[in-house]
Amino acid sequence: MIKRNHPELSISQQCKLVQLSRSAFYYTPVGIDADTLALMKEIDRFFTKYPFFGNR
């Protein structure tokens, strides 16, 4: 939607038109590293096996 090299509108003006903050436009998501992903999978396996843990 936003063109970096628009001849008439700056990026700031384009962001205002689409109601997007400039920081959101420049944001690049950070990926999940392998250790975090392995931990998430282990937690998922545990709670799939014992879904009643944590309930009274």
Side-chain angles (χ1 to χ4, degrees):
M1 270 185 128
I2 296 177
K3 296 181 182 178
R4 290 184 182 266
N5 55 356
H6 193 278
E8 296 176 10
L9 295 173
S10 67
I11 291 177
S12 177
Q13 292 170 335
Q14 291 179 64
C15 286
K16 280 184 185 178
L17 288 172
V18 296
Q19 297 179 347
L20 178 72
S21 66
R22 281 189 337 185
S23 60
F25 172 71
Y26 288 111
Y27 175 76
T28 55
V30 178
I32 299 173
D33 62 344
D35 293 335
T36 304
L37 190 58
L39 182 62
M40 288 168 48
K41 286 182 180 180
E42 185 64 29
I43 291 170
D44 186 48
R45 276 194 293 269
F46 184 80
F47 283 108
T48 302
K49 187 174 181 179
Y50 304 107
F52 50 85
F53 277 9
N55 292 333
R56 293 183 181 199

